[in-house]
Amino acid sequence: MTGRHVAVVDLGYGDAGKGTVVDWFCATRPVEAVIRFNGGGQAAHNVVLPDGRAHTFAQFGAGTFHGVRTHLSRFVVVDPLALAGEATHLAALGVPDALDLVTVDREALLATPYHRAANQAREIARGADRHGSCGMGVGESMSYALAHPDTAPRVGDCLDPGLLRHRLTLLRDRLSAELGPLDAPPVADTVTAFTAFAQRVSIVDGSWTTRLLHAGPVVFEGAQGVLLDEWHGFHPYTTWSTTTFGNVDTLLSEAGMPGAVTRLGVLRVVTPRHGPGPLVTEDPTLRPPERHNGTNAWQGRFRFGHFDAVAHRYALDVTGGVDALALTHLDLVGAHRLQLCGGYDWTDRLPTGPPGDLDRQAALTARLLASRPRYAADPEPEPAAWVDAVRDALGVPVWLTSHGPTAADKVTRLTAAAGR
Amino acid sequence: MGSGAWSTDVYRAASAYRKASGKSAFAYSDSGARKVHPTLNPRGVTARESRDSAEHPQSLAITVLFDVTGSMGKVPRILQEKLPQLLGLLLRKGYATDPQILFGAIGDATCDRAPLQIGQFESDNRMDEHLGNILLEGGGGGQMMESYELAMYFMARRTTIDCYDRRGKRGYLFIIGDEMAYPKVKAREVRDVIGDRLGEDIPLRGIVDEVRRRWDTYYLLPAGSHYAGNRRILDFWRDLLGQQAVELDDLAAVCETIATTVALGEQACDLDTALADLHDVGAGDAADTVSRALARIGADRTPAVRGTLPGGSGHSDQVTRL
């Protein structure tokens, strides 16, 4: 790993193990900070410590257990209420000062109870056609900001209760006019809580990222997965977030360090998907134990498919490739009949297109929903052979393997991946 | 990825941020403030108003005044912690449609820096801010008296409440303390603290009668507080307020006691149903304290609305601990 910094991105539909990989980085090497560069409070990156303590990292970076600070960049949708809930849980696990480790860019959008209520009202109205939203209001916040860029509530507004009250009232009234009364607390209550957030957490400007990047090695922790990307994902089963390396590249360029990063793509030996949307390799008989994810009211079922090299190849294509892979859940190899899908019945490689052509993406989705997987002849019974099979299928070296939930279960395999 | 793993409750978040900062909710007091916060100063106040509005057409005035001297200093902190639960109970269980709550603090006009602090009637958690601005006295005079009579004077003459003026419904006044009142409302103290000019002092019983005309008044005496075991205090308040002088085994249940008292007073339900509601909202621990405290009050109320539980309180033969 020769890049000064590391960016950890999921090349599937999320849930591959970004959290455990980031935790391992922070446990084993000096890390200045973890920077989040997309998504928001709906992220759920599970980290398990060797002593059994476990936490689902949503807005705190997955290095928090090791005292590594978190920076929420302007690309993150910040949910102050969920941040408090998460901090409370971290305190119960023996990290009493987690909030001291957080900095937030004042330009970041806020996710509020009004976005959340609107998000849930829409998802309920979709009925059987759900998109797999997490019900946290992240996408709602992004779409509101697109429609009302100048009045969308942002983190910096929490420093000015009058302005915040005004913007939240406007938001609530606009969403209510569209959707009817929202099931959300009064604006004054939200102002109180958000103001307390601003008094407690360090709110910084854009130069902070530059400062961190010059101070030492930074781990960029992605959220969700490339296949859910707002522009390249399989529309409409996508997220309102850029899940590629795009925002990482932007932040590095702004800091005058373009390309100073090793890109690490995370994959599981199976391809999971939480909620609706294409999963070509889905196999209902494939039911490995799933410690962290279950069915929930908003996203629906947690589904498993065999390793879908076609879909992951597409992720590599749209995000411009990675330097190395981290392959997780190798402990499943041998315990379950795992297969590797190297091609579909009509192609081995999905066509990419210009970002933002949603009609094209929707047509691709329709195509995927009708695709059949073609599996390699024999499932590999050995972890090592699996690692080689993944490397060969994707043409990328596997640099890190994970054989269990903790940092102690990780093994590095190469002396170096090609740095940038 | 995933879902909302963490609570997004607005009240919990506010209190978590305050706790996390090592700052208590009583930032004003803890910052070393020495005098009454301007928003809580009763001096020159024409009236504290609880008004109906389009948003709150059925306003119900609820006032909670507490002693902030000596051992009672933890009451406001408990109130602050439990406030969301109190509001939640009142609203979600339908005890009151549009409760408006005013917080205030009582000291000793003969020697304290802050003999009387009075917030505003609020229907949302801005009341939290008033609580946060209260100056906590600590100390305590040790003469077993605080200026409760001065607070009652303010409530009697300096509040305007639509629930009474428009609908003939009394508001609720809860005084939480562990000492006795002075025998008279002193004209000099009224002038200095509130600004009114009185021709003469008002005897305590006179002001109690006056305040009770518009305010259904309760005195909550926490057991375990400095003088609580002291029969003299309880007898003093029983003499003034009868069964509405209530002894609480556990100070931590003060919010639940207030909510349940309002439920009984509004005839929203009977005591058993109210206690079941407490279990419902996860406040089951407080139910025993509340039932012991309110057995006398609950036993002679006939609920207008029958709960699902069988009526006939099993507690009517119990009296509060004497």
Side-chain angles (χ1 to χ4, degrees):
Chain A
M1 304 295 273
T2 52
R4 178 175 167 83
H5 308 295
V6 180
V8 179
V9 161
D10 182 313
L11 297 174
Y13 302 103
D15 301 301
K18 292 178 297 294
T20 196
V21 169
V22 172
D23 168 71
W24 172 83
F25 266 108
C26 295
T28 56
R29 28 193 84 202
V31 175
E32 180 67 25
V34 169
I35 296 183
R36 283 282 308 275
F37 58 91
N38 67 347
Q42 88 284 49
H45 299 171
N46 291 289
V47 170
V48 181
L49 293 177
D51 64 11
R53 284 180 292 162
H55 181 77
T56 302
F57 285 99
Q59 294 182 94
F60 286 93
T64 304
F65 279 136
H66 309 288
V68 175
R69 49 192 324 145
T70 301
H71 177 57
L72 301 177
S73 72
R74 70 175 186 273
F75 298 114
V76 177
V77 178
V78 175
D79 188 327
L81 304 183
L83 187 76
E86 187 176 356
T88 302
H89 186 251
L90 284 164
L93 293 180
V95 188
D97 54 351
L99 289 168
D100 291 334
L101 297 172
V102 179
T103 47
V104 188
D105 192 307
R106 66 184 186 200
E107 295 300 313
L109 289 169
L110 290 165
T112 70
Y114 316 103
H115 295 115
R116 205 168 1 259
N119 178 185
Q120 297 183 358
R122 282 187 223 278
E123 195 76 349
I124 286 166
R126 285 187 192 114
D129 271 338
R130 291 198 174 180
H131 294 179
S133 160
C134 293
M136 291 287 290
V138 174
E140 194 69 42
S141 174
M142 303 274 281
S143 64
Y144 182 83
L146 282 178
H148 309 284
D150 299 334
T151 53
R154 294 176 189 272
V155 166
D157 300 346
C158 298
L159 297 165
D160 179 347
L163 177 67
L164 180 68
R165 189 183 306 270
H166 170 71
R167 290 191 167 176
L168 290 177
T169 306
L170 204 58
L171 165 74
R172 186 201 54 193
D173 293 347
R174 280 172 175 155
L175 291 174
S176 306
E178 184 188 354
L179 297 161
L182 299 173
D183 180 16
V187 166
D189 297 18
T190 309
V191 169
T192 301
F194 281 20
T195 306
F197 151 78
Q199 285 169 345
R200 179 65 191 84
V201 170
S202 304
I203 294 173
V204 298
D205 64 17
S207 68
W208 184 259
T209 311
T210 306
R211 193 192 302 192
L212 287 176
L213 289 166
H214 285 277
V218 161
V219 174
F220 288 94
E221 181 178 354
Q224 304 142 313
V226 172
L227 296 179
L228 300 170
D229 182 72
E230 56 189 334
W231 304 126
H232 297 287
F234 305 136
H235 187 77
Y237 306 102
T238 57
T239 178
W240 278 82
S241 163
T242 296
T243 58
T244 61
F245 292 97
N247 293 339
V248 174
D249 294 341
T250 302
L251 291 170
L252 285 164
S253 298
E254 286 171 358
M257 311 171 84
V261 66
T262 299
R263 297 170 161 221
L264 187 67
V266 186
L267 289 167
R268 277 199 205 201
V269 294
V270 294
T271 298
R273 176 161 202 157
H274 203 166
L279 182 57
V280 175
T281 56
E282 186 163 18
D283 178 354
T285 66
L286 183 62
R287 283 200 298 270
E290 179 60 24
R291 175 177 173 148
H292 302 294
N293 290 287
T295 296
N296 68 47
W298 298 110
Q299 291 172 276
R301 272 188 325 116
F302 195 76
R303 306 149 66 200
F304 287 101
H306 293 284
F307 189 93
D308 187 344
V310 183
H312 300 317
R313 227 170 260 145
Y314 175 79
L316 287 168
D317 288 344
V318 299
T319 200
V322 300
D323 299 307
L325 295 173
L327 190 62
T328 66
H329 291 253
L330 277 152
D331 44 325
L332 299 181
V333 175
H336 296 266
R337 187 165 182 278
L338 306 182
Q339 295 182 289
L340 191 146
C341 163
Y344 297 163
D345 48 349
W346 56 282
T347 186
D348 292 351
R349 207 168 195 102
L350 299 175
T352 59
D357 184 350
L358 293 182
D359 291 342
R360 197 189 151 284
Q361 294 307 116
L364 183 58
T365 301
R367 191 86 209 246
L368 285 174
L369 290 171
S371 297
R372 293 278 175 84
R374 282 189 294 105
Y375 291 114
D378 276 318
E380 299 283 350
E382 291 299 324
W386 248 94
V387 170
D388 294 342
V390 167
R391 178 199 61 202
D392 297 340
L394 299 182
V396 182
V398 176
W399 177 71
L400 180 73
T401 55
S402 175
H403 305 260
T406 75
D409 304 311
K410 309 286 181 279
V411 181
T412 49
R413 301 177 41 85
L414 304 172
T415 46
R420 293 167 163 252
Chain B
M1 334 172 20
S3 58
W6 306 116
S7 160
T8 51
D9 180 279
V10 71
Y11 299 101
R12 266 195 233 156
S15 105
Y17 283 122
R18 275 195 299 257
K19 271 202 199 83
S21 59
K23 274 196 315 214
S24 91
F26 295 86
Y28 180 71
S29 189
D30 294 351
S31 69
R34 311 292 292 168
K35 57 185 221 270
V36 174
H37 193 276
T39 57
L40 300 174
N41 195 339
R43 196 177 160 78
V45 168
T46 315
R48 292 291 199 235
E49 301 179 332
S50 162
R51 295 291 195 186
D52 293 347
S53 65
E55 210 180 344
H56 301 288
Q58 297 285 315
S59 68
L60 174 67
I62 299 173
T63 296
V64 181
L65 304 179
F66 42 85
D67 181 344
V68 284
T69 56
S71 61
M72 298 298 293
K74 60 178 189 264
V75 174
R77 296 181 199 269
I78 290 171
L79 284 172
Q80 181 121 37
E81 231 166 83
K82 296 281 197 84
L83 187 63
Q85 222 174 15
L86 168 63
L87 273 174
L89 269 169
L90 291 172
L91 295 169
R92 274 197 295 281
K93 296 294 180 184
Y95 298 161
T97 320
D98 300 309
Q100 299 187 335
I101 305 182
L102 174 147
F103 285 111
I106 298 170
D108 185 343
T110 61
C111 62
D112 284 347
R113 291 178 308 232
L116 183 61
Q117 303 174 72
I118 296 277
Q120 305 272 3
F121 287 99
E122 300 286 7
S123 26
D124 56 40
N125 73 350
R126 265 168 301 181
M127 61 184 77
D128 213 26
E129 292 165 32
H130 298 304
L131 264 177
N133 287 336
I134 282 174
L135 188 67
L136 307 178
E137 285 279 358
Q143 68 281 63
M144 293 174 63
M145 291 193 192
E146 298 290 349
S147 302
Y148 301 110
E149 73 294 333
L150 190 63
M152 286 194 252
Y153 171 90
F154 185 94
M155 297 309 295
R157 302 205 180 171
R158 286 279 165 258
T159 56
T160 306
I161 56 175
D162 275 358
C163 57
Y164 184 81
D165 297 346
R166 293 178 154 202
R167 293 184 296 281
K169 243 167 100 41
R170 292 191 296 166
Y172 290 86
L173 169 60
F174 295 92
I175 298 173
I176 306 164
D178 63 349
E179 307 195 42
M180 294 180 286
Y182 285 99
K184 285 180 178 161
V185 181
K186 297 188 198 68
R188 186 179 45 78
E189 288 175 5
V190 169
R191 189 193 64 217
D192 293 349
V193 177
I194 298 168
D196 293 358
R197 307 228 165 239
L198 296 183
E200 53 184 3
D201 297 353
I202 305 170
L204 175 63
R205 212 167 271 283
I207 203 67
V208 168
D209 288 346
E210 193 178 334
V211 80
R212 290 180 84 183
R213 252 174 259 152
R214 292 187 310 127
W215 292 96
D216 191 4
T217 306
Y218 294 81
Y219 190 89
L220 306 183
L221 174 72
S225 59
H226 186 43
Y227 293 114
N230 187 330
R231 276 289 303 275
R232 225 177 113 196
I233 308 283
L234 188 61
D235 288 350
F236 173 90
W237 288 104
R238 285 254 158 96
D239 184 45
L240 284 171
L241 301 172
Q243 64 179 20
Q244 299 196 177
V246 172
E247 197 179 19
L248 274 187
D249 308 349
D250 181 4
L251 200 48
V254 66
C255 280
E256 292 86 345
T257 305
I258 290 171
T260 306
T261 304
V262 172
L264 298 175
E266 293 301 286
Q267 305 199 335
C269 62
D270 60 17
L271 183 58
D272 286 342
T273 309
L275 296 176
D277 287 345
L278 288 181
H279 283 283
D280 248 18
V281 298
D285 293 353
D288 285 354
T289 297
V290 174
S291 96
R292 268 194 297 278
L294 300 184
R296 292 164 158 237
I297 295 168
D300 60 3
R301 302 269 189 190
T302 316
V305 183
R306 276 274 163 217
T308 47
L309 291 172
S313 158
H315 306 284
S316 52
D317 55 344
Q318 292 185 15
V319 287
T320 41
R321 231 161 16 81
L322 292 177

